[in-house]
């Protein structure tokens, strides 16, 4: 294996792999070094319950990846290496304890009919919102896909003003700064419609009353309504396998089981890495780290006393991580029999959180260090869309628990005495199954195998998931856009010449959109 590359990557998360693909396609030699025995970071698919049941361990929705600039540039090449998507028209649904429910399907008449049953006024508002989305989408997607810089933002603002006028630009600004509750109650009167959309805010650390969280429920609702969702054929790791194969086809290397212990610096410039076994790898043009800001400063740069910039180091060490996440993976003999109706078995996502107040309470409990009495459950029914992930007639269930504390101080329900996740995990997973049983009685009897990953397990598998934070750090306004990961450092540079930081902790944040890796690679390669 070569011991010198134009660009050396620390970590093989999807952002690093995307950047390596792009740079290699522009003639750079690239080497990617990953501590784990498999690449992918938080995008991994494994048989963790029973043989033949393929579970996406963490991330599962590939909509951001399929709609990304990176995929538009490299999708054909990745398809030659096996990348395949499975679309779904029935995207997400939220049932209530009384059996009522709301769900978004790509067929707008189905969505509108469900809304009409809850509120005719909301149905009309939904139809109007979808019609107006075509005017908002170009500006919002341009913002989310652009590098963060004052000139770029000014240009985007000018373009939006020319297209929408002052009132339209103010409405976009209002959307970007509103909390989910403000936005949803401003537009819909039915609590179940508010809850179905508000659940998407919780995916990115936006409880109902956190400013700046309205954008995500709005975008998810509108994008799913107009485009549907996609997952990976056979597992989310289809994107990882294809990117690794493409890197190797272009002459690059992806090395697993190779932990990086330090970044090498000479004459003030990062020019390579030191592996845990003491060997060194040189980087002629760039060292690109897919780690958290804190890990960069305290682990990889610590031998040289940080970055040399006190402000950068202080910001890295105080970078705010989001609350914890817990994963419960189930192998089932059949899909849950939802009390709200068999139609829910067709949906990729079923959110179990019937109102905004319940979500707000669960979030407050988790932030106080308590195991929430009733957390939001994101139930993924991937095999309803992609049967190839399980043996014939069998199913997987992907249950993401939003949100839980990384460190347990108590139990809001007063039942679980353990204060360590190693002891509390199984009992809390039982609570999760109990909640599912309320909405789909008999699910427990269909369980063939169960695998639980607590916040402690998530961090052990992937140190970037600090305290089980699955989104790469809080996306609150003070740590997003120009402030991600910290003010003045939103363009992936660091105070060390030749050293760059990418990943979910950098703009544009969490999700499988390959944004930071692609944006940096375009910059380094001159597009």
């Amino acid at each position: 294996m070569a011991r010198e590359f134009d660009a050396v990557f620390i970590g093989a998360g999807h952002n690093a792999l995307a950047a390596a693909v792009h740079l290699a396609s522009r003639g750079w030699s690239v080497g990617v070094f990953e501590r784990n025995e498999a690449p992918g970071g938080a995008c991994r698919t494994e048989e963790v319950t029973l043989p033949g049941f393929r579970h996406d361990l963490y991330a599962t929705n590939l909509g951001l990846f399929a709609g990304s600039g990176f995929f538009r540039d490299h999708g054909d090449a990745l398809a030659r290496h096996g990348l395949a998507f499975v679309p779904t028209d029935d995207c997400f649904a939220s049932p209530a304890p009384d059996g009522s429910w709301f769900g978004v399907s790509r067929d707008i008449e189905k969505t509108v009919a469900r809304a009409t049953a809850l509120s005719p006024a909301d149905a009309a508002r939904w139809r109007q919102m979808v019609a107006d989305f075509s005017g908002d989408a170009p500006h919002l997607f341009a913002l989310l896909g652009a590098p963060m810089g004052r000139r770029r933002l000014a240009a985007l603002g000018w373009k939006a003003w020319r297209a929408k006028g002052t009132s339209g630009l103010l409405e976009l600004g209002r959307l970007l700064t509103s909390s989910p509750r403000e936005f949803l109650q401003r537009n819909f009167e039915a609590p179940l419609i508010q809850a179905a959309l508000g659940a998407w805010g919780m995916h990115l650390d936006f409880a109902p009353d956190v400013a700046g969280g309205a954008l995500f429920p709005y975008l998810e609702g509108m994008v799913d309504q107009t485009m549907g969702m996609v997952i990976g054929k056979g597992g989310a790791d289809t994107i990882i396998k294809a990117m690794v194969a493409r890197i190797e086809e272009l002459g690059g290397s992806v090395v697993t089981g190779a932990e990086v212990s330090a970044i090498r610096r000479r004459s003030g410039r990062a020019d390579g890495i030191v592996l845990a076994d003491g060997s060194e790898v040189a980087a002629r043009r760039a060292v690109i780290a897919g780690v958290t800001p804190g890990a960069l400063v305290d682990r990889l740069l610590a031998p040289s006393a940080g970055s040399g910039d006190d402000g950068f180091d202080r910001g890295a060490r105080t970078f705010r991580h989001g609350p914890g996440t817990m994963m419960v993976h189930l192998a089932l003999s059949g899909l849950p029999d939802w009390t709200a109706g068999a139609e829910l078995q067709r949906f990729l996502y079923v959110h179990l959180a019937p109102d905004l107040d319940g979500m707000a309470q669960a979030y407050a409990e988790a932030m106080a260090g308590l195991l929430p009495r009733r957390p939001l459950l994101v139930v993924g029914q991937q095999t309803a869309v992609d049967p190839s992930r399980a043996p014939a007639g069998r199913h997987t269930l992907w249950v993401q628990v939003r949100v839980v504390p990384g460190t347990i101080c108590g139990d809001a329900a007063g039942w679980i005495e353990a204060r360590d996740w190693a002891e509390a995990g199984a009992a809390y997973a039982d609570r999760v199954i109990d909640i599912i049983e309320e909405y789909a009685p008999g699910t427990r009897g269909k369980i063939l195998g169960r695998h639980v990953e607590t916040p402690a397990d998530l961090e052990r598998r992937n140190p970037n998931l600090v305290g089980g934070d699955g989104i790469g750090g809080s996306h609150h306004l003070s740590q997003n856009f120009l402030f991600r990961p910290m003010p003045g450092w939103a363009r992936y540079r660091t105070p060390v010449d030749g050293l760059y930081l990418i990943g979910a902790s950098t703009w544009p944040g969490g999700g499988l959109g390959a944004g930071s890796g692609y944006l940096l690679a375009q910059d380094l390669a001159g597009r």
Side-chain angles (χ1 to χ4, degrees):
M1 183 192 71
R3 308 306 293 182
E4 185 175 20
F5 302 89
D6 289 325
V8 172
F9 291 83
I10 303 171
H14 88 285
N15 273 296
L17 295 175
V21 166
H22 190 74
L23 289 176
S25 74
R26 300 312 192 255
W28 287 44
S29 62
V30 299
V32 183
F33 296 84
E34 167 60 47
R35 68 185 291 273
N36 289 325
E37 295 303 321
C43 181
R44 296 179 63 172
T45 306
E46 296 181 9
E47 296 182 359
V48 291
T49 55
L50 295 170
F53 291 82
R54 288 180 54 78
H55 301 267
D56 289 341
L57 291 184
Y58 317 115
T60 191
N61 183 356
L62 298 184
L64 286 175
F65 191 87
S68 68
F70 171 76
F71 182 73
R72 287 193 299 272
D73 196 356
H74 298 281
D76 290 343
L78 297 179
R80 289 192 286 102
H81 291 288
L83 172 59
F85 298 127
V86 180
T88 179
D89 289 341
D90 296 307
C91 302
F92 65 92
S94 287
D98 65 3
S100 61
W101 66 283
F102 176 72
V104 172
S105 298
R106 193 175 181 186
D107 183 339
I108 191 171
E109 298 307 325
K110 290 183 178 180
T111 306
V112 167
R114 295 168 193 143
T116 299
L118 298 169
S119 164
D122 286 358
R125 179 62 187 131
W126 183 270
R127 196 183 292 277
Q128 185 61 52
M129 189 176 286
V130 173
D132 293 342
F133 180 61
S134 61
D136 289 342
H139 308 291
L140 293 174
F141 290 139
L143 172 64
L144 296 174
M148 281 293 104
R150 288 173 294 179
R151 290 184 180 180
R152 177 64 170 163
L153 290 177
L156 291 174
W158 172 256
K159 187 174 181 179
W161 178 76
R162 292 287 301 272
K164 299 179 69 66
T166 300
S167 61
L169 186 60
L170 287 174
E171 277 302 313
L172 282 179
R174 188 186 192 192
L175 171 67
L176 292 171
T177 56
S178 289
S179 72
R181 191 190 299 269
E182 289 170 340
F183 168 74
L184 293 168
Q185 291 186 345
R186 197 160 60 231
N187 286 283
F188 302 105
E189 60 185 18
L192 192 51
I193 295 178
Q194 296 170 7
L197 293 169
W200 288 105
M202 295 283 279
H203 284 243
L204 281 176
D205 189 29
F206 283 106
D209 300 299
V210 176
L215 175 64
F216 304 101
Y218 172 66
L219 279 182
E220 193 68 46
M222 294 300 99
V223 169
D224 292 350
Q225 177 64 85
T226 56
M227 302 178 190
M229 281 183 169
V230 297
I231 59 174
K233 179 71 173 177
D237 65 347
T238 183
I239 67 173
I240 304 301
K241 294 175 180 177
M243 287 192 287
V244 169
R246 178 58 172 158
I247 290 167
E248 293 174 343
E249 179 183 54
L250 293 168
S253 296
V254 178
V255 184
T256 58
E259 184 168 5
V260 177
S261 60
I263 293 168
R264 195 178 74 182
R265 278 188 280 185
R266 294 178 180 172
S267 302
R269 177 179 176 81
D271 75 339
I273 58 174
V274 180
L275 300 179
D277 64 7
S279 62
E280 299 185 4
V281 181
R284 288 185 289 264
R285 303 168 77 172
V287 175
I288 301 172
V291 300
T292 64
L296 179 71
V297 167
D298 287 333
R299 184 169 64 84
L300 296 176
L301 291 175
S304 302
S307 71
D309 183 299
D310 290 343
F312 180 90
D313 292 354
R314 183 170 56 254
R317 291 178 176 127
T318 57
F319 181 81
R320 181 176 178 273
H321 288 279
T325 299
M326 180 175 176
M327 299 299 307
V328 180
H329 298 288
L330 302 175
L332 299 180
S333 61
L335 287 171
D337 293 311
W338 301 104
T339 301
E343 191 174 356
L344 266 69
Q345 292 183 335
R346 298 206 302 264
F347 282 80
L348 178 59
Y349 283 113
V350 178
H351 287 115
L352 301 184
D355 57 61
L356 295 177
D357 290 341
M359 284 183 252
Q361 180 175 343
Y363 185 86
E365 290 169 350
M367 296 305 292
L370 303 178
L371 295 169
R373 183 186 302 268
R374 296 188 65 85
L376 163 67
L377 301 187
V378 185
V379 180
Q381 303 181 128
Q382 288 87 348
T383 45
V385 179
D386 178 17
S388 73
R389 296 180 179 217
R394 305 302 193 209
H395 290 275
T396 64
L397 212 64
W398 177 96
V399 186
Q400 192 174 68
V401 186
R402 296 276 190 183
V403 288
V404 295
T407 301
I408 303 171
C409 298
D411 177 18
W415 302 339
I416 298 174
E417 296 182 359
R419 298 297 178 261
D420 183 277
W421 273 113
E423 299 176 5
Y428 200 69
D430 290 341
R431 181 176 300 175
V432 168
I433 303 302
D434 288 342
I435 294 173
I436 297 175
E437 279 281 318
E438 294 176 16
Y439 291 87
T443 300
R444 180 176 278 106
K446 297 183 178 185
I447 297 175
L448 305 175
R450 183 174 95 169
H451 175 78
V452 177
E453 295 215 8
T454 69
D457 295 325
L458 297 180
E459 184 172 1
R460 183 173 60 254
R461 275 183 177 260
N462 184 344
N464 284 355
L465 307 181
V466 177
D469 169 18
I471 57 174
S474 173
H475 289 66
H476 292 183
L477 285 176
S478 61
Q479 196 171 272
N480 206 6
F481 299 103
L482 282 169
F483 309 118
R484 192 168 190 89
M486 60 202 83
W489 299 99
R491 295 293 298 274
Y492 316 116
R493 270 68 179 167
T494 73
V496 180
D497 190 25
L499 176 61
Y500 305 88
L501 182 65
I502 60 171
S505 62
T506 64
W507 172 256
L512 295 178
S516 63
Y518 182 59
L519 288 171
L520 173 62
Q522 283 186 303
D523 189 9
L524 294 178
R527 310 304 287 180

